[in-house]
Amino acid sequence: MPDSWQRRIDRATTLARGDAPSKALLTQYAAILAAQRTCYDALVADGQRLTGSLDRDLPDVRMCAARAFSTVRGFLPTEISSDAPDNDAAIDQLLSDGWRATSAPFFARVVLQPYAEALARLGRRPAERGLESTPGRAECPFCGGPPQVSVLRRDSGSDGGGRELVCALCSTSWALRRILCVHCGEEDEHRLKYFHTPAFDHVRVDSCDTCLHYLKAVDLTRLGIAVPVVDEVASGALDIWAHEHGLTKVEVNLVGL
Ligand SMILES: [Zn+2]
Ligand SMILES: [Zn+2]
């Protein structure tokens, strides 16, 4: 049974082989996932040293970052790769600022995602993030960050009224009822909409008329082989549709959609 990183890499690779318009993006995403996986494996292997305090864990995380950045620089277009920090002080600053932000920039996320996921695996709670908790907002029970995607399964609550949210940073999932906006806590079902198109039969856009935010949901009852975070990236056309309709995403994904 492939592990969670391998499932993501395999799914992105499979989707990149198709004729989707996002083919090139998915090829890059698969390579970024592979670099993140190397980072995650190295951090978990030295897991006894990790504390959950980024300031104290920086020597290990910085080493991962330097390796990951030099890998991804090799295949990203220059206009993106030129943003990668190229010395220790700049790496530390990027990671430290990203750790304390609800939404970190691309290169910080490349490394902070596997770091946070390693902490979740090891059960070391992230410290010093200092994120403000906002009433009504769905926040990851492990790291306090926003969700990236929601997942619908056959067994999502006995009445089918549940869903799982997947954290954008540490990949922890947690249960939340469906009739609830994850951004503002709106519970009026008449103000909560969803958009679905046959072009992405297993992905939908859940939006809220009150705060005009949206989150995509991947419905595993429609496509059991989907890997939610990857299918979320692959359905970028839905993000374009949502933006054209005046909606803001609860949290942009790693590739900036
Ligand atoms: Zn989290
Ligand atoms: Zn809302």
Side-chain angles (χ1 to χ4, degrees), residues 1-256:
M1 181 87 180
D3 65 28
S4 154
W5 283 101
Q6 195 59 47
R7 283 202 301 277
R8 282 175 253 175
I9 295 165
D10 291 347
R11 179 71 176 148
T13 307
T14 302
L15 289 169
R17 276 197 218 110
D19 52 6
S22 49
K23 204 174 156 73
L25 180 72
L26 286 161
T27 304
Q28 286 173 359
Y29 184 48
I32 296 167
L33 284 167
Q36 289 188 297
R37 193 240 170 90
T38 303
C39 187
Y40 171 86
D41 286 346
L43 290 169
V44 168
D46 288 331
Q48 70 284 359
R49 288 213 295 269
L50 294 185
T51 64
S53 155
L54 179 68
D55 293 346
R56 280 192 274 166
D57 296 339
L58 260 180
D60 287 303
V61 184
R62 183 195 305 126
M63 204 185 299
C64 268
R67 216 175 313 146
F69 294 163
S70 89
T71 306
V72 302
R73 252 195 229 108
F75 58 79
L76 288 179
T78 323
E79 62 269 25
I80 300 174
S81 64
S82 57
D83 286 345
D86 55 2
N87 62 69
D88 285 358
I91 291 176
D92 289 1
Q93 190 67 50
L94 177 83
L95 296 177
S96 184
D97 291 348
W99 191 234
R100 288 163 176 84
T102 313
S103 187
F106 171 74
F107 279 102
R109 277 218 228 182
V110 165
V111 177
L112 293 175
Q113 284 181 338
Y115 170 58
E117 200 165 324
L119 294 180
R121 158 88 182 269
L122 299 162
R124 311 269 150 75
R125 226 160 239 293
E128 302 148 357
R129 290 200 71 203
L131 300 181
E132 296 271 326
S133 184
T134 308
R137 202 160 289 180
E139 289 156 354
C140 171
F142 185 73
C143 77
Q148 185 71 77
V149 61
S150 65
V151 186
L152 312 177
R153 300 178 191 273
R154 213 172 297 283
D155 55 359
S156 294
S158 52
D159 56 355
R163 61 178 157 172
E164 254 171 49
L165 301 181
V166 180
C167 176
L169 190 73
C170 74
S171 294
T172 293
S173 8
W174 72 102
L176 193 79
R177 65 183 200 275
R178 285 189 204 183
I179 310 296
L180 181 66
C181 170
V182 298
H183 193 74
C184 74
E186 179 61 79
E187 296 175 294
D188 180 351
E189 60 184 326
H190 302 294
R191 302 195 64 80
L192 301 172
K193 308 269 166 64
Y194 76 86
F195 172 78
H196 175 257
T197 162
F200 295 98
D201 188 50
H202 65 298
V203 187
R204 63 185 221 191
V205 173
D206 287 332
S207 68
C208 170
D209 284 350
T210 302
C211 68
L212 298 177
H213 279 72
Y214 76 97
L215 181 73
K216 284 192 282 182
V218 173
D219 188 343
L220 295 180
T221 69
R222 287 173 185 260
L223 188 68
I225 58 162
V227 175
V229 288
V230 179
D231 288 67
E232 201 281 326
V233 167
S235 55
L238 292 176
D239 294 294
I240 294 167
W241 176 89
H243 296 151
E244 283 171 357
H245 287 75
L247 298 168
T248 302
K249 203 173 190 180
V250 166
E251 173 67 344
V252 295
N253 59 32
L254 181 65
V255 300

